[in-house]
Amino acid sequence: MGNLPPCYYDGRLRFYLIFIDMISIQTQLRAIVSTALGKAFGAEYSEIDPMVVPAGRPEFGDYQCNVTFSLAKPLKNSPRNLSQQLLDHLDVSDICEPPEVAKPGFINFKIKPSYLETQIGALQSDSRLGVEKVKDPLKAIVDFSSPNIAKEMHVGHLRSTIIGDSIARILEFRGHDVLRLNHVGDWGTQFGMLIAYLREAYPDALTKADALDLGDLVAFYKKAKKRFDEDADFKETARKEVVKLQAGDPESLKAWQLLCDQSRREFQQIYNRLDINLTERGESFYNPKLPDVVADLEAKGLVVEDAGAKCVFLDGFTNKEGDPLPLIVQKSDGGYNYATTDLAAIRYRVKEDGGDRIIYVTDAGQANHFAQVFQVAQKADYLPENVEVTHVPFGLVLGKDGKRLKTRSGETVRLKDLLDEAVKRAYQDLETRLVAEDRQETEEFKTDVAKTIGLSSVKYADLSQNRTSNYIFDYDKMLELKGNTAPYLLYAYARVQSISRKGEIDYEKLDADAKVLLKEDQELVLAKHILQLSEIIKEVESELLPNRLCQYLFELSQKFNQFFENCPVLKSDEPLRTSRLILCHLTAQTLKLGLSLLGIEVLERM
Ligand code: ARG
């Protein structure tokens, strides 16, 4: 490993470091199995997936290789015999105890403690904790959050914001070039109604220089909608406003800008609180490009006119009658759709942004929309083979009653109120805990801790669920100090920090060459877990499931607690004391890094 430069990171915990050549145990085993496959069965077999995975049960060892199950057929032999043959060519003696073939035909690998000691020792001087940077970074585009102007930024957008941010952080940490795009809904016929209402209710708005405060924009939207639904003349005015806006009338554009600015300010407050970084590129950006997209589709012979609407017919999508379903790209009145904008966006993201991997984080309800848009984009040659587009769907946020989350009066929950409530409750919990522990803390400490716990609990509760399922929003549960919650993980981190305070130890100054000794079971279990970080990160990078990282960090905290309860740290004699302190420090660093990738900040004390 040699000498490493120090680690630099900016406020957003993005690490800038040179590439470090530290290969995970799983990767090493895979390489060894691949070589053996080639030797045992012929060169072409060294190309197949060697199927080395973490062992299903600890008694089987640490990793298992299942590859011979898929070879039984082509090689006309039993998995067990094949595994035995493979074993003859497998040299893992540096890493593992002699591997064994288990009954049905798996090969089990048990990592040698001495090897673990070397690996964990090497992590000490690696601020990336063994997570390599990719050799060929991609241009990744993550389209997330994307609320609609003048409408509610609701819990669905909150999910998109939290999940999208975590995905972006993980891709960034792996070294990809990530463009975080906020595809806000800032264009469309609703603006006719809003502008008409703005002129009516705030006649000065367009002439006065100061930024206007429209108050609650959601209430503004509702009032505008009411006028629109109830008054035919108003409706006509609104329609004319759409035409004027489309035609680029300066006053209409100014009114539109005013409304967008007001919304933007409100969204930004939420992003600031949650430490979310986004580049806004809303639907309006693509508006001038829409006629071109339709022309393009027409030139490629994809467009069919149906009752005046321009449609592209889709494969595999049919209506109730079994007839093929069209994607309407231009309505009979000449207007364009949400889908047309997404087609323009794909084209732009590939051609202009050079995107290789384009990711859309929205609720599962939009799955069909994206499948259709992707299909048309493919037909239109907007998607070269090397470009991957992925919809990352998530489920609903439910109240404790199992229904969509609502306030007591049945209104949609405002995000600001939701975050305030989480922080308020975290503050109350903290006060109770301080009384119980007979501690005195300053107001500043309490506010700060409550803020971090409250906000991270909301984020973690969301991220720790498999995103594809619905999840129940429950303040009590997410704020608990026990279980798979943010407070539990933050507490494990703070616990490690308290050890150093108690022993007056500076973790950064521990002897970097000191040997880590792994004798007790809990030490081995903890070390193995720490060493799995890079595998987990790579898995999340490909599957886009942040809950895997949450589960990993939760188990890390549990394993650390078991270690700490069974293995004295400060009271041990050297060299064990330093060895255990290193394990403590590595645990804390892993937690801090892992949590930062979820958008969660740690607390030194709580
Ligand atoms: N504004 C949309 C909504 O609130 C989400 C946009 C998602 N991104 C996209 N490219 N369609 O549902």
Side-chain angles (χ1 to χ4, degrees), residues 29-309:
L29 286 175
R30 286 172 62 91
I32 297 171
V33 172
S34 290
T35 312
L37 279 166
K39 285 188 191 156
F41 309 120
E44 69 271 30
Y45 288 92
S46 64
E47 305 289 317
I48 65 170
D49 180 353
M51 298 201 202
V52 177
V53 294
R57 276 194 264 157
E59 58 271 31
F60 295 153
D62 299 309
Y63 291 92
Q64 64 186 49
C65 168
N66 308 331
V67 71
T68 56
F69 287 87
S70 61
L71 298 181
K73 234 187 182 169
L75 294 175
K76 299 196 181 62
N77 205 335
S78 72
R80 218 169 151 195
N81 285 338
L82 291 169
S83 282
Q84 209 60 55
Q85 289 173 30
L86 189 59
L87 220 52
D88 295 338
H89 298 273
L90 209 57
D91 183 9
V92 287
S93 54
D94 289 342
I95 305 180
C96 304
E97 312 286 1
E100 280 166 17
V101 178
K103 257 219 173 107
F106 314 103
I107 302 177
N108 291 335
F109 300 106
K110 195 165 171 24
I111 311 297
K112 280 183 180 169
S114 59
Y115 185 72
L116 289 170
E117 287 175 349
T118 324
Q119 291 290 104
I120 200 101
L123 285 191
Q124 280 186 79
S125 45
D126 177 4
S127 57
R128 292 185 60 91
L129 300 173
V131 186
E132 314 107 54
K133 277 197 175 188
V134 288
K135 293 204 179 72
D136 302 305
L138 297 177
K139 176 81 186 191
I141 296 177
V142 188
D143 173 326
F144 70 104
S145 193
S146 309
N148 300 316
I149 299 288
K151 285 200 201 158
E152 199 105 42
M153 183 169 178
H154 54 69
V155 284
H157 297 121
L158 180 68
R159 281 210 90 174
S160 173
T161 306
I162 294 171
I163 296 169
D165 177 56
S166 174
I167 288 176
R169 283 173 191 258
I170 288 165
L171 295 176
E172 282 155 359
F173 185 65
R174 285 282 282 149
H176 298 293
D177 178 10
V178 181
L179 178 58
R180 302 156 155 258
L181 283 186
N182 200 1
H183 189 85
V184 292
D186 64 352
W187 200 253
T189 44
Q190 79 272 23
F191 279 97
M193 170 185 97
L194 293 167
I195 295 170
Y197 186 69
L198 182 73
R199 287 190 199 275
E200 184 178 279
Y202 298 85
D204 293 344
L206 293 169
T207 47
K208 289 234 173 91
D210 322 5
L212 157 98
D213 188 6
L214 300 177
D216 184 349
L217 254 195
V218 175
F220 179 91
Y221 187 93
K222 279 186 192 153
K223 283 188 226 152
K225 182 87 174 56
K226 193 157 180 271
R227 288 285 290 125
F228 186 82
D229 290 339
E230 286 173 0
D231 185 335
D233 289 341
F234 182 87
K235 206 172 197 162
E236 183 50 26
T237 316
R239 202 192 57 76
K240 285 192 185 133
E241 276 299 345
V242 180
V243 178
K244 275 163 79 184
L245 183 65
Q246 290 277 6
D249 174 75
E251 247 198 16
S252 304
L253 277 174
K254 193 172 172 203
W256 168 74
Q257 199 66 57
L258 252 162
L259 291 161
C260 292
D261 284 346
Q262 175 96 13
S263 268
R264 203 170 281 134
R265 276 199 294 276
E266 281 175 29
F267 298 157
Q268 196 54 45
Q269 283 173 12
I270 302 280
Y271 296 143
N272 289 347
R273 276 181 96 172
L274 295 175
D275 187 20
I276 307 287
N277 181 6
L278 271 161
T279 300
E280 185 182 316
R281 198 196 275 164
E283 295 184 12
S284 65
F285 176 84
Y286 304 100
N287 184 54
K289 308 178 192 329
L290 302 180
D292 202 30
V293 167
V294 175
D296 204 19
L297 299 173
E298 280 179 321
K300 286 181 175 130
L302 294 168
V303 174
V304 178
E305 274 207 34
D306 190 4

Side-chain angles (χ1 to χ4, degrees), residues 143 146-148 157 183 185 338 342 349 360 362 366 369-370:
D143 173 326
S146 309
N148 300 316
H157 297 121
H183 189 85
Y338 183 48
D342 263 323
R349 290 167 186 186
Y360 300 79
T362 80
Q366 298 197 36
H369 162 76
F370 285 108

